[in-house]
Amino acid sequence: MWKYIKSRFGDLVRSYFDEFRLVFHDGGIILFFCFLPLAYPIIYSLIYNPEVVRDVKMVVVDHDRTSKSRELVRSLDACQEIRITGYAADLDEAKRAMHGHDCYGILEIPDGFSKRLGRGEQSPAVIYSDMSLLLRYRGFLVAATNVAQEMGAGLLEEKIGHTLPIAATISTGDPLPVENISMGNIENGFDSFIMPGVLVLILHQCIVLASGMAGGARRERTRRGCGEETGSVAMSMAGEMLCYMTILLVPVMFLLHYVPLIFSFPMAGSAFEIFLFILPMVIACMGLGFCFQSIVWEREAVFVLWVVTSVALLFLSGLTWPRYAMSPLWSFIGDMLSATWGVEGFIKMNANGSSLAQVRAEYVNLWLLAAFYLVAGYCLRRWVMRPSLQRAGRSAVG
Amino acid sequence: MKELPEKGFRAIFMRSVLQIVRRPMYWAGFFLLPLFFLFFLTDEMEDGLPQRVPAAIVDKDGSAISRQITQNLGSMQMVDLVEDCNSFTQARHDMQSGKVFGFFLIPEDFQADLLAGRKPVITFYTNMAYFVPASLLFKTFKTTAVYAKAGIAMSVLDAAGAEVDPSTLLMPVNITSRPLGNPGLNYAIYLCNSFVPAVLQLMIFLITCFSLGQEIKYGTSRRLLRMADGSILKALAAKLLPQTVIWLVLVIFMESWLFRWNGYPMHGSWWWLTLSEVMFVLASQGMGVFFFGLLPNLRLSLSISALVGVLSFSLAAFSFPVESMYPALGIFSWVLPTRYNFLIYIDQALNGIPVYYSRVWFVAYIVFMLLPFTMMWNIKRCMKRPAYVP
């Protein structure tokens, strides 16, 4: 019995150090473990770091040319979302500007805009928006709503003052103020919205890619006739996992703590609880990596087979397209991926300040998935990979 | 069976076809992954917009007016009032655990304060960590609040005996937004037309570099050069032509799938769009070969392909405009074929404007196609002396 434990422990230690040797002799794996988690998040965060879309160019077609219409233009120009670049004589000229990519919106003020307001009728104006990017349209919409309400409130006050001077003395200004508070991402910024999810995905992809490449490297080594695998499958898997965890300690801290710190993303959660939360995701990723190894026949195949999945993981995680609106099929596929739960839980903890108890569902799911992937990985290695490697090794030697 | 020729263009072409047919990995890279994304992205967002965002109401007043507001809110199309909370804390907990994306708070003594003119404040909270549902919720909450306000102003004026038109009270200045080309604000139209080509570009980069790198890794590049009589141009052209054919079929399928079968807006000429897609494939291949020429090593060229291909999704400014990025990063959007595909799609399909305005983008494609010619010497040098550096 003692001997058995000793030999198993020997397997574990050997595979732990073997894996280190493999990783540090392979530039490709080093790249995945160092460059990917250290450089990617910086580049990504910098791309979106301006956070909000300001000063989208707009051209005005003013058929009214009165002080009220100019007030409207001035107020829109004063919004942070819009910059009025000029007046066009008619809609055709404005269209030409839009087609030539000199503006992304056209404000058309009809003749009689001011007269209508004076008569106490509703006075319309139109913003034509280019729809290439939703963020630009959103900016126009927010600015237009704010300006319309502000001007409306001003006019209403005037009106009440005119018709009911007594009412004005009782109640001046807005009778019912409305406040909006953005939670989670208080600046409504794009970087703070997308990056926390992307950070988790980067960690996920870094582990799976590195693990896949290590599997490919092992196969190539065996095909060349050196380093045939022996010993317990479970122990060698455990050794590899411990090795990855040792290497990943710094990247995980950097990704989940320091990147949000550097770029001042929302950081409402407790760092310790976040690390506790991410642990099962890391284990599940390694399990997924072990499964992935069974189809990686050579090191470089991981690029072709896995890199593109990042996009699918992003959309399945419910970050951009919420999970409650997905069809059962996609929602089920999302359920089966550790990235989904990792992203969901991390955003809740990091942005909304949830405690570990509040993301219980995600946490439990992650542990279940970790167990599932590890068992699947074990089976694949024990009964699919190991035999094929042994065959390959024998034929290489023989 | 006819013997295959030993040398020449046809021989290399056939060899390349066989390489693709014999490796399941190529099937995955050429067909499985791109087609999966085509189907996945269009199907996932089929509804266009996520309807009925889960939200909560916190009514601390429980008066006639506050109940009226709750009812109005509940009847809005975009919102699904799943929770009726008693306190702010409870609503915040629901938001933190992901049950709701926002909540609407009516304070205590709301009705009494309102009628006495003490100006109670209605507050709504949206969880902007989830941008799309929170933005939709914001719009609905805001509309409800404006209606509530108008209703109150109406009743005050009514009581005082003044006659007013409700629409002028609601919004005397009414600025309508007309989203051109995508009136329903369909998220799928906006997203799939940029992301699917970007996926394709990534796969083209990767497979181009992978197939060329394999020749060097396994030392078969010398044979390839011999078969082409030492002409690197001939070798590359014959080697990559089967891939070009596959990509062209795929890209035409993609175009038909998006614009014909899914009915995405197509307001311009099919010819220009098709030309753009064809040139897009060639430009991406050109860039792939260029990467390989730059770093004629399987892993490094794949790494740079993956880096550029994945960063394209952000750098090509599909969601965040270039003019808002830092100039030092925004400038990189101009060196990505998928960026030009996106710009031409906007001009030619979404907006349907004269092709004159997109002329520069088409020229950009040609530049990408010419890129590999600057690197031929290096590819030839490495193919003559293949050395595998892991």
Side-chain angles (χ1 to χ4, degrees):
Chain A
M1 183 64 196
W2 175 239
K3 216 173 158 187
Y4 177 77
I5 294 174
K6 218 171 115 182
S7 91
R8 282 297 145 106
F9 189 71
D11 280 348
L12 179 75
V13 172
R14 200 173 55 239
S15 94
Y16 181 75
F17 287 108
D18 268 357
E19 195 67 13
F20 262 113
R21 210 168 303 135
L22 185 105
V23 168
F24 285 111
H25 282 127
D26 193 317
I29 303 179
I30 293 276
L31 204 69
F32 283 144
F33 272 136
C34 298
F35 180 76
L36 192 58
L38 300 184
Y40 251 64
I42 302 281
I43 301 177
Y44 257 108
S45 307
L46 279 176
I47 293 176
Y48 294 131
N49 203 35
E51 293 273 15
V52 284
V53 178
R54 283 173 223 268
D55 294 334
V56 181
K57 288 183 270 185
M58 178 180 268
V59 163
V60 180
V61 182
D62 188 352
H63 299 297
D64 197 43
R65 305 266 177 179
T66 55
S67 72
K68 274 278 180 261
S69 76
R70 283 193 294 274
E71 189 193 327
L72 175 65
V73 174
R74 259 198 321 276
S75 319
L76 280 174
D77 195 22
C79 294
Q80 72 158 15
E81 290 89 357
I82 294 179
R83 184 156 61 96
I84 305 285
T85 51
Y87 278 82
D90 52 14
L91 211 52
D92 279 335
E93 193 188 339
K95 260 200 227 162
R96 270 200 299 280
M98 196 188 235
H99 291 172
H101 313 102
D102 294 325
C103 71
Y104 298 99
I106 300 170
L107 170 70
E108 193 187 17
I109 306 173
D111 194 10
F113 175 79
S114 172
K115 266 188 201 157
R116 278 214 187 82
L117 283 180
R119 277 204 300 265
E121 289 171 18
Q122 194 177 38
S123 194
V126 185
I127 289 180
Y128 298 97
S129 166
D130 172 76
M131 286 307 287
S132 51
L133 299 186
L134 283 186
L135 278 182
R136 286 196 191 118
Y137 171 74
R138 185 178 177 272
F140 288 153
L141 199 68
V142 170
T145 318
N146 287 342
V147 167
Q149 271 176 13
E150 229 163 82
M151 280 184 84
L155 288 165
L156 187 67
E157 209 176 311
E158 260 175 47
K159 178 162 215 147
I160 294 179
H162 283 312
T163 46
L164 296 167
I166 305 161
T169 56
I170 305 167
S171 144
T172 45
D174 201 340
L176 173 57
V178 177
E179 254 178 43
N180 162 240
I181 294 172
S182 299
M183 295 180 107
N185 168 9
I186 52 171
E187 292 173 322
N188 297 350
F190 198 75
D191 211 17
S192 304
F193 145 65
I194 198 115
M195 277 316 290
V198 170
L199 292 177
V200 175
L201 286 180
I202 290 176
L203 176 65
H204 184 279
Q205 296 300 70
C206 138
I207 300 172
V208 178
L209 283 168
S211 161
M213 190 172 249
R218 209 170 294 120
R219 282 201 185 196
E220 283 179 19
R221 211 172 46 177
T222 328
R223 272 207 298 275
R224 282 202 301 273
C226 45
E228 188 179 329
E229 261 193 74
T230 49
S232 146
V233 171
M235 284 301 131
S236 69
M237 274 169 68
E240 285 162 30
M241 280 168 60
L242 283 177
C243 162
Y244 292 166
M245 281 192 196
T246 318
I247 299 174
L248 277 170
L249 218 55
V250 174
V252 168
M253 286 213 288
F254 177 73
L255 269 174
L256 301 188
H257 191 73
Y258 287 99
V259 174
L261 203 64
I262 294 170
F263 291 96
S264 47
F265 297 148
M267 287 179 84
S270 123
F272 177 68
E273 286 195 349
I274 287 177
F275 287 124
L276 270 188
F277 174 80
I278 219 70
L279 177 70
M281 195 197 84
V282 169
I283 297 177
C285 289
M286 291 174 188
L288 188 61
F290 289 132
C291 300
F292 181 47
Q293 282 180 353
S294 63
I295 54 165
V296 180
W297 282 90
E298 64 179 294
R299 298 170 57 245
E300 290 83 4
V302 294
F303 286 101
V304 179
L305 293 175
W306 197 261
V307 169
V308 76
T309 58
S310 314
V311 184
L313 293 179
L314 178 67
F315 283 103
L316 284 170
S317 74
L319 188 57
T320 49
W321 186 263
R323 275 169 56 75
Y324 70 83
M326 282 181 203
S327 69
L329 170 71
W330 301 121
S331 150
F332 172 74
I333 295 178
D335 286 345
M336 294 305 294
L337 295 166
S338 45
T340 308
W341 302 113
V343 169
E344 283 246 312
F346 180 66
I347 289 176
K348 280 176 193 165
M349 297 177 88
N350 193 49
N352 296 130
S354 311
S355 63
L356 196 57
Q358 280 172 312
V359 292
R360 197 190 300 116
E362 286 85 354
Y363 197 48
V364 171
N365 284 335
L366 276 179
W367 278 114
L368 289 177
L369 281 178
F372 169 75
Y373 282 132
L374 280 181
V375 170
Y378 176 83
C379 297
L380 282 169
R381 182 175 287 201
R382 179 95 168 66
W383 287 293
V384 180
M385 252 183 91
R386 180 68 65 92
S388 85
L389 277 182
Q390 278 164 354
R391 271 197 306 278
R394 269 198 299 277
S395 67
V397 172
Chain B
M1 207 177 116
K2 223 168 73 181
E3 276 288 304
L4 282 175
E6 277 288 305
K7 271 183 159 188
F9 194 87
R10 270 195 39 212
I12 304 174
F13 182 87
M14 284 315 291
R15 175 171 168 273
S16 177
V17 169
L18 284 179
Q19 279 170 343
I20 293 172
V21 172
R22 279 184 190 145
R23 287 202 67 173
M25 208 206 76
Y26 278 124
W27 309 346
F30 276 116
F31 302 106
L32 200 70
L33 290 170
L35 289 178
F36 167 78
F37 273 94
L38 194 54
F39 178 69
F40 163 60
L41 289 176
T42 46
D43 187 69
E44 188 190 12
M45 293 160 204
E46 210 183 13
D47 296 338
L49 269 183
Q51 306 281 336
R52 305 201 66 79
V53 185
I57 177 124
V58 188
D59 181 0
K60 298 217 281 198
D61 191 33
S63 62
I65 296 183
S66 75
R67 281 201 302 276
Q68 183 62 44
I69 295 176
T70 309
Q71 274 172 9
N72 287 346
L73 186 62
S75 65
M76 301 291 263
Q77 181 197 355
M78 274 299 178
V79 69
D80 183 13
L81 284 182
V82 289
E83 297 279 333
D84 188 359
C85 303
N86 294 319
S87 67
F88 172 84
T89 315
Q90 198 191 342
R92 181 169 58 88
H93 275 290
D94 283 344
M95 185 193 268
Q96 282 177 326
S97 53
K99 269 186 240 162
V100 298
F101 288 88
F103 53 92
F104 198 91
L105 182 91
I106 302 174
E108 271 165 8
D109 302 326
F110 173 74
Q111 180 169 337
D113 284 354
L114 188 70
L115 296 181
R118 282 191 293 264
K119 297 182 186 169
V121 182
I122 283 186
T123 320
F124 57 87
Y125 299 80
T126 42
N127 186 2
M128 288 306 289
Y130 293 88
F131 213 72
V132 176
S135 293
L136 295 172
L137 209 54
F138 173 86
K139 210 172 143 194
T140 307
F141 280 167
K142 188 128 194 173
T143 316
T144 310
V146 169
Y147 281 153
K149 194 190 285 193
I152 285 145
M154 279 282 291
S155 56
V156 171
L157 287 176
D158 246 3
E163 265 186 39
V164 275
D165 177 14
S167 69
T168 45
L169 249 184
L170 212 58
M171 269 223 165
V173 181
N174 181 24
I175 309 179
T176 341
S177 296
R178 298 263 165 82
L180 299 175
N182 184 1
L185 303 181
N186 190 317
Y187 204 71
I189 291 176
Y190 153 71
L191 209 108
C192 298
N193 285 316
S194 51
F195 270 60
V196 176
V199 165
L200 220 55
Q201 179 197 258
L202 173 64
M203 294 314 293
I204 294 178
F205 285 172
L206 289 173
I207 291 205
T208 307
C209 287
F210 186 79
S211 63
L212 292 176
Q214 289 272 301
E215 303 281 354
I216 300 222
K217 178 174 179 180
Y218 292 107
T220 49
S221 55
R222 256 184 290 205
R223 201 174 108 78
L224 180 69
L225 269 182
R226 258 205 318 280
M227 285 170 81
D229 299 315
S231 155
I232 182 72
L233 208 64
K234 199 169 164 186
L236 280 184
K239 166 108 186 138
L240 295 178
L241 189 61
Q243 299 182 11
T244 312
V245 173
I246 296 177
W247 293 126
L248 285 180
V249 171
L250 266 174
V251 89
I252 299 297
F253 176 75
M254 174 193 88
E255 191 190 337
S256 332
W257 172 265
L258 294 177
F259 298 105
R260 177 68 84 187
W261 291 312
N262 275 298
Y264 290 177
M266 176 64 218
H267 298 127
S269 139
W270 286 92
W271 292 111
W272 290 119
L273 195 66
T274 311
L275 179 69
S276 157
E277 304 291 7
V278 170
M279 288 175 86
F280 167 64
V281 164
L282 296 174
S284 304
Q285 278 193 309
M287 194 144 172
V289 176
F290 177 73
F291 286 149
F292 186 74
L294 213 57
L295 300 159
N297 160 298
L298 183 53
R299 180 175 55 77
L300 287 179
S301 62
L302 280 171
S303 297
I304 188 162
S305 297
L307 176 74
V308 175
V310 171
L311 283 180
S312 287
F313 289 93
S314 317
L315 273 180
F318 300 145
S319 36
F320 197 75
V322 173
E323 62 270 16
S324 298
M325 290 179 194
Y326 297 128
L329 282 162
I331 201 158
F332 285 102
S333 72
W334 300 107
V335 298
L336 305 166
T338 186
R339 168 79 182 157
Y340 297 99
N341 184 285
F342 179 61
L343 289 171
I344 293 176
Y345 144 73
I346 295 291
D347 283 357
Q348 296 307 315
L350 189 70
N351 293 334
I353 64 178
V355 74
Y356 170 81
Y357 293 103
S358 331
R359 64 202 184 281
V360 183
W361 320 145
F362 281 100
V363 176
Y365 277 145
I366 298 177
V367 175
F368 288 111
M369 292 180 210
L370 295 178
L371 270 183
F373 293 99
T374 59
M375 282 294 155
M376 287 298 177
W377 61 276
N378 200 22
I379 302 181
K380 184 164 183 176
R381 186 178 62 90
C382 292
M383 282 205 161
K384 271 185 187 160
R385 272 179 231 86
Y388 176 60
V389 188

